[in-house]
Amino acid sequence: MTRRRQAEVLPTRSRVLFRAAVRKATALLRKGEVVALPTETVYGLAANALDAKAVRRIFQIKGRPAHNPIIVHVANVGMAKGCVAVWPSVAARLARAFWPGPLTLVLPRAKEIPDIVTAGGPTVGVRCPSHPLIQAVIRRCGFPLAAPSANLASRVSPTSAEHVQKYLSKKIPLIIDGGSCRVGIESTVLDLSTPTPRVLRPGMIGEQALLAVTGKLRRGSGKGSILRSPGQLPRHYAPEARLVLRSWTDERDLRKQCTQFKVPLAKIHIVTHTQIPSATGFGRVAILPHDPADFARAIYAALHQSDEEGAEVIVVESLPDRSEWRALKDRLERAMAKA
Ligand code: TXA
Ligand code: MG
C-alpha cells in the first residue's frame, strides 16, 4: 500500500481550482482509485460504492476491520433511494429536515450495494453531505461514494487536509483541500431498519431535533445491548497521547491533579473551555469555545496538534451534562477508553 510519491493536494479556493479538483477526483474515482475529500463533518476516504474492489482498498488503506460497514454518500434523495430496498416516510421526512447534512440513515440495503460496503449485513448507512466539493464530485461521478473518515482505524478523524496528509499521504494519490470542516465531528447515525428509530452514534444533530421529526426514538445502547454499529466500540477516535477528562476548582487544584500523571508538566496539554489556567510550565493550554457547535469544530484539531507536539497526556476539561454536549462526550469518552 506504500506509494513512492506523496499524494497530490489540490486546493479549491477559486472557481477554476474547485472545478479542476472535481475533475481530477472524478477521473480517479472512475478508475477505481481511492481519494480523500472534504465533507462538512470530517474528511472522507472515498471510493465508488458500487465497485467492491475499490471499496476493498479503503479497508486496506485504513487498516479497517472487515466487520465495520462504510457509509454511502449520495448527492440527493433520488440517489439514496437507489441504495436502499425501502424508503419509508420517516426517512423522507428526516431527509427533508436534515439533508444535505450530518445525518446518516441506516436502512435495508439495495442489492446493488456490494457486501463489502455493508460488512455483509442486511442494512446500509446513507448520507447526503452538504460540503459543496463532495456534492459536486458525486454528481459528476453519477455513482454514490463509500467513504469512512480519512484516518487510520481507531485514530482521531481529520478535519483538515493537513490531518489527512499526516495519516495517508503515502497511501493515496489525491487529497482535495476543502478547508476546515464546519461541523467537526462525525455524523449522527440513525437506525431506521427497526420499527422504532434508534441513534447508533450520537452527533451534532441531537435526539431532540430527531424526535421532533420521528415522533419516537428507542432509548439505550447501554451494556448488554446488541452491538449494531462498530463505531460504538470503545477505543475509537483516540489520539496517541493518553486523554483524560477532568474538572478542577482552580489552577492550584489542576496542577495538583497533574502530578499524578508522573510525566513532566511540559508533556501535559490542557484543553479547556471555562476554567482557564495560566500556560506556565504546561506544554500547551488550548482554549476552546464554551459552545457545543464551536467546540465540535475545534476539538479534533486540538487533539491532532497536541499529538504533533508530542504531548503524553491531554487533559480535557469536563463537558456540561446537557444534551447538546452528548455527542462530544461520547467521542471524548471513547478516546479515553483503553485499547
Ligand atoms: O460524518 C461521517 O459520517 C463521516 C464522513 C466522512 O461522512 N464518515 C464516517 O465514517 O464517520 P466512519 O466509517 O468513520 O464511521 C461510520 C460509522 C461507523 O460507526 C459504522 O459502524 C456505522 O457508521 N455504520 C455504517 N454503516 C452502518 C450500518 N449499515 N449499520 C450500522 N452502522 C453502520
Ligand atoms: Mg471513523
Side-chain angles (χ1 to χ4, degrees), residues 235-236 238-239 243-245 331-339:
R235 187 70 190 180
H236 219 87
L243 188 138
V244 297
L245 273 169
R331 297 305 189 281
L332 291 175
E333 276 160 14
R334 283 173 209 294
M336 285 191 312
K338 287 267 180 295

Side-chain angles (χ1 to χ4, degrees), residues 38-43 131 158-163 177-184 297 301:
T39 86
E40 74 280 20
T41 57
V42 301
Y43 275 68
H131 194 292
T159 55
S160 72
E162 290 76 29
H163 298 159
D177 184 348
S180 295
C181 299
R182 185 176 58 76
V183 177
R297 203 172 296 131

Side-chain angles (χ1 to χ4, degrees), residues 196-268:
T196 307
R198 179 160 70 119
V199 173
L200 300 178
R201 179 176 70 181
M204 295 312 285
I205 294 178
E207 291 197 352
Q208 306 239 315
L210 295 171
L211 256 177
V213 177
T214 62
K216 55 181 181 177
L217 274 187
R218 192 141 60 96
R219 297 244 158 216
S221 54
K223 278 191 192 137
S225 70
I226 308 160
L227 185 71
R228 296 293 307 271
S229 188
Q232 294 185 128
L233 289 169
R235 187 70 190 180
H236 219 87
Y237 321 105
E240 275 175 274
R242 176 176 167 209
L243 188 138
V244 297
L245 273 169
R246 288 280 189 280
S247 46
W248 51 89
T249 50
D250 55 22
E251 179 153 353
R252 234 185 76 209
D253 178 31
L254 170 65
R255 287 182 188 269
K256 198 172 127 219
Q257 292 190 42
C258 283
T259 59
Q260 77 185 67
F261 302 128
K262 311 256 185 276
V263 302
L265 216 51
K267 291 284 182 187
I268 300 179

Side-chain angles (χ1 to χ4, degrees), residues 69-120:
I70 296 186
I71 294 170
V72 173
H73 296 70
V74 296
N76 49 50
V77 167
M79 210 172 197
K81 287 179 179 168
C83 299
V84 299
V86 289
W87 184 252
S89 69
V90 66
R93 292 199 306 277
L94 286 161
R96 216 174 300 129
F98 300 113
W99 279 6
L103 177 65
T104 297
L105 302 176
V106 172
L107 285 158
R109 69 196 269 198
K111 58 179 183 321
E112 287 75 16
I113 302 295
D115 273 344
I116 185 153
V117 173
T118 70

